Amino acid sequence: MDKPRVIVTRRWPEEVELRLTEHFDVRLNPEDRPLGRDDLKAAFASADAVFSTVTDAIDAELLSTEPLRARLIGNFGVGFNNIDIDAARARGLTVTNTPEVLTDATADLAMALLLCIARRVGEGERHLREGAWTGWRPTHLMGTQVTGKTLGLIGFGRIGQAMARRAHRGFDMRVLFFDPFPPANAVLRELGAERRETVEAVLEESDFVSLHCPATPENRHLINAGRLSHMKPGAFLINTARGDVVDEAALNDALGDRLIAGAGLDVFEREPEVLPGLLARENVVLLPHLGSATRETRVAMGLKVLENAIAFFDGAEPPNRVT
Ligand code: DGY
């Protein structure tokens, strides 16, 4: 039997690409050029599966392409807000994602952002590289203590819980969270986490707020001007979830008005664009969507896409089916 035809939209770690070639008639993207809309449409018309990433906007218009050969979208990522799931379902496409394998890497990066913004790491590094450092002094680049402070988590799924574990066990932080679907009480006890009934209640009590909710239409601009005004003036916002969970213009205004002390952002509303106002600020740390970017994790993500696709083409249930 012929191997299923697969198109991979971006470059993947080499060892996973090699594994793909063992199982599929695969077209890789060695130059790592993002596919344009027409190329993406052609991929859906000519391949049995498309292995996409967060940068591929797979919407209803794109999926209305005729003829549609693809039956599977293997998304390289846990978030799948780049895909119109209803349209995929309506066209009979199965969508899979890559949960679990990136939980630790993403929580590590959220913690790194928290530490960097609290301790002014970006500012300090820029200062030193610019040759501005004149030596140690008692009041130089004083930051904010992290240990023992209160961390508020918006979203308490796998990554939120991993962040709580780091904060509570490693930094003796008090952990509060908002999530409409909280885990079992045993998990809350293990992580020393206290539930709050509203986002606002978490914002009002927290020294650091870290976002770990999905990018659903309901969560668009969840953190807006109104909600930012509930944060403490000395508090910091961390976002490793998705850019559109935060109203970036409102955040920029809040930072300018000193309504909050700073922000650590790994994701943005219009990636790869970043609001110029944010780029100009000292009290933000900005990263280019690196949450899952460790070699180990990116390999594991690729292997998860592969595992799901093998199951799908064998006629079995893919373990990480979204539709
Ligand atoms: C994820 O897995 O959701 C990462 O943000 C990359 O898409």
Side-chain angles (χ1 to χ4, degrees):
M1 208 179 77
D2 286 347
K3 289 177 178 173
R5 177 130 215 272
V6 167
I7 292 181
V8 185
T9 65
R10 298 305 297 259
R11 183 103 208 258
W12 284 15
E14 206 177 341
E15 57 263 57
V16 196
E17 290 190 340
L18 260 175
R19 293 283 304 278
L20 293 180
T21 61
E22 291 164 16
H23 294 271
F24 305 115
D25 166 15
V26 64
R27 199 178 84 202
L28 301 170
N29 184 350
E31 272 126 31
D32 204 17
R33 268 200 222 106
L35 298 193
R37 219 172 152 73
D38 288 345
D39 291 333
L40 260 183
K41 278 189 182 170
F44 277 91
S46 62
D48 299 301
V50 177
F51 292 171
S52 57
T53 71
V54 65
T55 55
D56 302 309
I58 302 173
D59 57 25
E61 196 275 328
L62 195 133
L63 291 175
S64 68
T65 213
E66 288 293 354
L68 181 76
R69 172 165 165 179
R71 292 186 295 130
L72 173 70
I73 304 175
N75 202 48
F76 186 103
V78 66
F80 45 85
N81 61 313
N82 54 307
I83 302 167
D84 185 327
I85 294 296
D86 290 338
R89 196 179 286 119
R91 297 245 44 203
L93 277 150
T94 294
V95 180
T96 63
N97 71 340
T98 63
E100 286 144 24
V101 290
L102 45 68
T103 300
D104 284 326
T106 307
D108 287 350
L109 195 92
M111 201 66 213
L113 275 174
L114 187 157
L115 290 167
C116 283
I117 191 61
R119 299 302 303 272
R120 304 177 67 179
V121 169
E123 280 180 81
E125 221 231 359
R126 283 192 291 277
H127 180 76
L128 188 143
R129 282 179 189 268
E130 281 159 9
W133 189 32
T134 55
W136 192 91
R137 51 198 193 276
T139 56
H140 190 209
L141 281 174
M142 292 187 295
T144 300
Q145 187 94 354
V146 171
T147 297
K149 293 286 175 65
T150 298
L151 171 66
L153 298 166
I154 308 298
F156 203 58
R158 277 181 291 256
I159 301 173
Q161 290 171 36
M163 180 70 170
R165 193 168 290 114
R166 282 154 180 73
H168 186 61
R169 299 227 182 118
F171 295 87
D172 210 10
M173 294 178 92
R174 178 175 174 228
V175 176
L176 313 176
F177 75 93
F178 168 80
D179 194 306
F181 306 102
N185 283 340
V187 176
L188 304 192
R189 276 195 298 278
E190 184 223 327
L191 299 174
E194 300 165 40
R195 186 178 180 200
R196 293 289 178 272
E197 295 297 327
T198 61
V199 173
E200 285 78 2
V202 172
L203 301 182
E204 278 157 18
E205 283 185 73
S206 301
D207 303 303
F208 298 90
V209 174
S210 190
L211 307 177
H212 299 285
C213 51
T216 56
E218 302 75 51
N219 286 346
R220 187 180 140 75
H221 289 185
L222 182 83
I223 303 298
N224 52 24
R227 291 233 166 84
L228 285 162
S229 71
H230 284 266
M231 287 178 68
K232 294 185 188 178
F236 299 88
L237 181 73
I238 315 297
N239 189 8
T240 54
R242 280 290 184 266
D244 71 355
V245 174
V246 177
D247 178 343
E248 232 166 61
L251 172 63
N252 188 41
D253 290 346
L255 289 163
D257 297 343
R258 290 270 158 195
L259 277 185
I260 67 170
L265 307 174
D266 184 45
V267 286
F268 302 88
E269 269 196 272
R270 281 167 287 276
E271 295 178 13
E273 279 170 43
V274 178
L275 204 70
L278 289 175
L279 286 171
R281 292 198 183 288
E282 287 289 356
N283 57 339
V284 291
V285 175
L286 307 169
L287 293 179
H289 203 146
L290 296 180
S292 61
T294 67
R295 165 149 293 281
E296 296 87 336
T297 295
R298 290 285 163 85
V299 168
M301 289 166 76
L303 292 177
K304 230 185 207 302
V305 179
L306 175 65
E307 180 193 351
N308 277 283
I310 291 173
F312 177 83
F313 287 112
D314 280 352
E317 179 64 15
N320 306 111
R321 188 189 187 111
V322 175
T323 61

